[in-house]
Every structure is written in C-alpha cells, then in structure tokens.
Amino acid sequence: MTNCENCSYYEYDEYYECYTCLVDLDEDEMRRFICGDNGSCPYYRGEDDYFLARKQ
C-alpha cells in the first residue's frame, strides 16, 4: 500500500492551497486518487534523495 504523503509527485499547490498529485492522471486514476483508493498507485515514487547517486 502506498502513501501519497511520502510520494515525490505529491506537492503543495499554492494556487489551489492544497496538496495535489503532479502526475497526469486519467479519469479512472483521478477518481481513485480523490476517493482515497490509491493503495496500488503505479506512479508512486518514494522520496529518496540518494536515488540518482546509487545509479552512478
């Protein structure tokens, strides 16, 4: 199960004054995101500052 609050794509939008997902979701994915049924989000990427350093 993923947690949006720990995802790299989940950021605060100052214009809307709330947290949003930066991934371009389709209609079904957006419904799951809004309803909170995003336990198996295929776009989840945890915040890992050393991800690129390990690849080098």
Side-chain angles (χ1 to χ4, degrees):
M1 183 169 169
T2 61
N3 187 359
C4 288
E5 295 165 354
N6 296 329
C7 184
S8 297
Y9 296 118
Y10 193 65
E11 293 187 2
Y12 188 77
D13 188 339
E14 293 181 12
Y15 181 76
Y16 292 112
E17 298 180 350
C18 66
Y19 283 91
T20 59
C21 182
L22 299 178
V23 176
D24 189 20
L25 303 173
D26 68 10
E27 187 176 332
D28 293 330
E29 292 168 334
M30 182 58 78
R31 183 197 59 78
R32 285 194 303 266
F33 176 74
I34 291 171
C35 293
D37 185 25
N38 52 354
S40 60
C41 179
Y43 305 108
Y44 176 78
R45 189 174 77 192
E47 294 181 11
D48 187 2
D49 295 337
Y50 299 103
F51 177 74
L52 291 176
R54 283 194 297 267
K55 292 262 183 189
Q56 295 178 351

